[in-house]
Amino acid sequence: MAQTLQSHTLTPGQRMKDILNRMLNHEELSREEMKNILIGITQSEYPTEQITALLTALQMRGVTVDELLGFRDGILETGVPALLNADRYIDVVGTGGDRKNTFNISTTACFVIAGAGYKVAKHGNYAATSVSGASNVIAHHGIQFTDDIDRLNRSLDEAGIVYLHAQLFARAMKFVGPIRKALQFPTIFNLLGPLVNPSQPQCQLLGVANLDQMRLYHQVYQRIGIDYGIVNSIDGYDEISLTGDFKVTTKDYERIFSPKDLGFDIAKPEELVGGATEEEAAAIFDAVLENRALPAQKNIVLANAAFGIQVLEKGEKSIEECIAIARESIDSGAALRTFKKFVELNS
């Protein structure tokens, strides 16, 4: 009893000291502990040095599923929810950090999926390691970011797609921004981006940069209980690059594909590059939707959109059928019309 009483009288700093000592002994933290730590961070309970030590220790040891889910719980609880009026929609997102500086493949694929008649809630942010992130290319076209739920639902209803700019929703992130910048190496927060879409979609296609991340997210998605596909190009892209073989893991199967399995030629790395400026990246985005991009650029978007469509279809359509649906979205002009309607509603 005395011990329990004493633990309640500890200051947040003392509690964190105990947690750090446990981590030095290679102990794992529970989901509830991690959630409470995240909430404590948003209430400025811990000195910067302790948060820095925690993030470093987690990175050196490796993050567990419960630890990742605990921080996710905390970010969603302290953030702004986006309650969308749709039963089933998807987010297509990459973890980032592959340092390949590709054009906005996931974002372009989202408009192809929406053009095919599916609902999309794209969650994104400004670029961290490339020239143009999702928010860069969206803002470049004059879109005004908002957390106004009526405007968001109107966009989803009329255009089939909504864009959720991460900084408006995940309030916890601003408390760790300076620390993450000072550390200059990836932390648990780099893993959280794809998991904290404030609308909590029922479907997600996630691109990861390595197979360790694929295994981690596979376990996380099973715990969350959503329909998912996780993709990784064996040569290190956090999306289907078509530069070589790639692996796909879903609820239903785990398989390595080659571009030829999908009827595509092998792409050259230089054909994926997003350019040196935001303007160059946006020009490629436009070219794909206008159906005048390089064949490799179009094919890469088709491949990623197709696996997203397969997730939405609960795996009941073959990947060949899903590619055909994605192709029709671009070739018919539906993807472009969807984007123009999105711009009209959100500018």
Side-chain angles (χ1 to χ4, degrees):
M1 175 71 78
Q3 202 173 14
T4 308
L5 205 64
Q6 186 185 21
S7 69
H8 285 299
T9 59
L10 293 176
T11 66
Q14 289 169 328
R15 284 199 299 272
M16 179 60 80
K17 182 181 175 183
D18 286 347
I19 284 167
L20 291 172
N21 281 326
R22 284 170 53 202
M23 293 198 70
L24 287 173
N25 289 324
H26 308 287
E27 291 184 38
E28 296 176 359
L29 304 180
S30 71
R31 183 170 178 171
E32 187 69 16
E33 282 177 316
M34 288 293 281
K35 175 186 167 184
N36 291 335
I37 289 169
L38 191 285
I39 292 170
I41 289 172
T42 66
Q43 295 169 352
S44 302
E45 289 184 352
Y46 311 116
T48 298
E49 293 81 1
Q50 286 189 330
I51 301 171
T52 303
L54 176 72
L55 297 181
T56 304
L58 284 168
Q59 193 65 19
M60 290 177 71
R61 191 203 66 205
V63 177
T64 68
V65 172
D66 273 334
E67 288 166 349
L68 191 56
L69 285 171
F71 258 31
R72 174 184 184 264
D73 294 341
I75 286 175
L76 291 174
E77 186 169 309
T78 58
V80 178
L83 304 174
L84 301 180
N85 298 330
D87 292 332
R88 191 169 177 81
Y89 48 89
I90 194 168
D91 186 8
V92 181
V93 63
T95 53
D98 64 8
R99 302 193 180 274
K100 303 286 192 182
N101 193 33
T102 53
F103 72 95
N104 302 94
I105 295 167
S106 296
T107 309
T108 316
C110 282
F111 285 97
V112 173
I113 293 169
Y118 301 93
K119 300 290 188 185
V120 178
K122 172 65 177 157
H123 180 232
N125 210 334
Y126 292 116
T129 58
S130 62
V131 168
S132 179
S135 290
N136 298 90
V137 75
I138 294 293
H140 182 83
H141 288 86
I143 306 307
Q144 301 294 311
F145 300 135
T146 183
D147 60 2
D148 183 297
I149 197 62
D150 291 332
R151 284 188 62 192
L152 295 173
N153 272 308
R154 185 182 174 203
S155 181
L156 187 64
D157 184 49
E158 296 185 25
I161 185 168
V162 64
Y163 187 73
L164 305 169
H165 178 55
Q167 293 179 16
L168 295 180
F169 297 91
R171 289 175 171 165
M173 292 301 196
K174 68 181 180 183
F175 290 91
V176 293
I179 296 171
R180 293 177 68 195
K181 195 168 185 180
L183 285 175
Q184 296 202 341
F185 57 74
T187 69
I188 186 173
F189 288 100
N190 294 74
L191 297 172
L192 282 164
L195 300 175
V196 294
N197 183 318
S199 72
Q200 298 189 48
Q202 307 83 357
C203 305
Q204 192 161 43
L205 183 75
L206 171 66
V208 297
N210 59 63
L211 296 180
D212 286 340
Q213 287 184 357
M214 180 173 275
R215 283 186 286 272
L216 177 66
Y217 284 109
H218 176 58
Q219 294 176 66
V220 167
Y221 284 133
Q222 287 182 320
R223 292 276 290 277
I224 295 172
I226 67 171
D227 292 327
Y228 62 91
I230 311 170
V231 303
N232 164 252
S233 290
I234 305 301
D235 53 357
Y237 287 90
D238 69 334
E239 52 221 339
I240 299 168
S241 65
L242 299 182
T243 50
D245 291 354
F246 60 94
K247 186 171 184 179
V248 180
T249 296
T250 73
K251 283 172 73 173
D252 305 309
Y253 69 85
E254 189 173 310
R255 182 182 162 187
I256 292 177
F257 293 85
S258 73
K260 289 180 181 177
D261 292 335
L262 308 183
F264 294 130
D265 292 331
I266 293 177
K268 298 173 184 172
E270 57 268 27
E271 294 175 307
L272 282 69
V273 174
T277 64
E278 280 188 27
E279 289 74 20
E280 289 177 11
I284 299 171
F285 171 89
D286 292 343
V288 176
L289 294 182
E290 292 167 7
N291 202 15
R292 53 178 182 79
L294 295 174
Q297 293 168 337
K298 178 180 177 180
N299 290 345
I300 288 154
V301 171
L302 288 176
N304 286 273
F307 279 95
I309 290 168
Q310 192 178 55
V311 171
L312 280 158
E313 293 284 359
K314 293 180 175 286
E316 292 172 7
K317 288 190 185 297
S318 70
I319 197 58
E320 291 78 14
E321 290 176 285
C322 297
I323 290 169
I325 293 168
R327 192 183 298 280
E328 175 66 15
S329 178
I330 294 179
D331 290 353
S332 68
L336 181 61
R337 288 192 296 275
T338 293
F339 180 63
K340 286 181 174 177
K341 183 66 176 178
F342 171 78
V343 172
E344 176 192 321
L345 290 169
N346 292 282
S347 297

